[in-house]
Amino acid sequence: MKSVRENSGRKGREGASRRKPEAQPSEAPEPTEEAPAASPPPGGEAAWAYEVAHPDADQDLAPVVGKNLRRLRIQRGLSLERLSKASGVSRAMLGQIELGQSAPTINVLWKIARALDLPFSALISNSGGAGTRLMRALQAKRLTSHDGRFTSRALFPFDEPRRVEFYELTLKAQSEEQADAHPPGTMENLIVTRGTLEMEIGADHHLLATGDAILFEADKPHVYRNVGTEDITMYLVMSYAEEVG
């Protein structure tokens, strides 16, 4: 993709060295509204060449890139100033991109992606965590134990990399579910919303009534046990040390 500056500069040099040929169907018309080559913005020609998108650039992509950039920058704890220094893209341009006011060139997107240590697609994807994902209960996929007494429903999309997962769990009366140790650094944060749960974590035992919550290191075998007469409903947030998916 060529920038406005690159296109106008090329035509200016050619016009000074030779007579203008007769127009051909394949040739582009003379520029009319492009910025003059003699008046580059602050920052010099290099800044103009890589920061300004061609007028024909897809403007529909601007709000998508803006939302993704702001979300990813904040996730990494970066200010606009720090990202500007890391990427070589001006702070003003980064701000305009985040607001959806500027359609960046491919060159700019590559610079930003490298600075964030992300694939190029993370900035232009419509999924990638941006927007809204509605997961209907009737369309949910549920995992069930071999005896059908323990059910797990994922409350997050499986098609994206993640470090956190959210589940709805149900455990029938007088039954238990044994869980193997998860990778080192895995944490489980669980709350009981109905029933009474007995948690066995290694050699430790904990009794949780309705409304009780527990946070524990899940890198050791653990057991969910229902010793009551009613089914248990609980919600679990699982956090991994490294990205999965």
Side-chain angles (χ1 to χ4, degrees):
M1 179 185 297
K2 290 286 186 179
S3 69
V4 175
R5 175 65 177 176
E6 290 169 331
N7 288 335
S8 61
R10 175 175 55 80
K11 292 177 181 176
R13 289 192 297 271
E14 290 178 353
S17 60
R18 64 184 183 187
R19 183 174 57 87
K20 179 180 177 182
E22 295 182 2
Q24 299 295 326
S26 60
E27 289 185 346
E30 287 295 312
T32 56
E33 298 181 1
E34 294 177 353
S39 303
E45 182 172 347
W48 180 268
Y50 76 72
E51 288 192 354
V52 180
H54 191 278
D56 294 334
D58 185 0
Q59 295 297 324
D60 291 339
L61 194 59
V64 174
V65 174
K67 289 180 181 179
N68 287 338
L69 175 56
R70 179 172 175 79
R71 172 176 55 83
L72 294 167
R73 177 179 65 80
I74 292 175
Q75 284 179 354
R76 283 156 176 73
L78 293 173
S79 64
L80 286 172
E81 186 68 29
R82 290 180 60 188
L83 181 56
S84 174
K85 292 179 180 179
S87 64
V89 179
S90 73
R91 184 185 186 282
M93 176 55 61
L94 291 173
Q96 290 179 21
I97 293 173
E98 287 195 358
L99 293 173
Q101 297 175 347
S102 176
T105 63
I106 293 178
N107 193 18
V108 169
L109 291 179
W110 277 117
K111 288 175 179 289
I112 296 172
R114 284 198 299 268
L116 294 172
D117 193 25
L118 287 169
F120 180 85
S121 59
L123 291 170
I124 63 176
S125 172
N126 270 313
S127 55
T132 301
R133 300 289 295 272
L134 179 61
M135 291 164 281
R136 298 288 186 186
L138 295 177
Q139 300 172 351
K141 293 183 178 180
R142 291 175 169 81
L143 301 177
T144 305
S145 61
H146 67 280
D147 59 5
R149 303 186 66 80
F150 178 78
T151 303
S152 171
R153 172 194 171 195
L155 302 176
F156 61 93
F158 275 102
D159 58 350
E160 299 172 3
R162 58 198 178 276
R163 291 183 61 180
V164 178
E165 296 177 345
F166 183 32
Y167 295 94
E168 179 187 58
L169 309 177
T170 58
L171 183 61
K172 292 188 177 299
Q174 300 297 312
S175 59
E176 68 177 36
E177 174 67 12
Q178 298 184 10
D180 295 331
H182 298 297
T186 303
M187 300 292 295
E188 289 194 16
N189 193 353
L190 181 144
I191 181 170
V192 178
T193 58
R194 186 182 67 172
T196 301
L197 173 72
E198 181 181 316
M199 280 293 308
E200 182 179 323
I201 308 168
D204 298 329
H205 290 73
H206 306 274
L207 191 64
L208 286 77
T210 299
D212 290 343
I214 187 171
L215 173 67
F216 63 95
E217 297 176 354
D219 54 1
K220 58 178 69 69
H222 44 286
V223 179
Y224 310 92
R225 184 175 294 116
N226 186 346
V227 296
T229 58
E230 66 173 334
D231 294 353
I232 291 176
T233 301
M234 45 195 167
Y235 291 88
L236 170 68
V237 175
M238 184 176 295
S239 305
Y240 298 99
E242 298 181 357
E243 195 171 74
V244 298

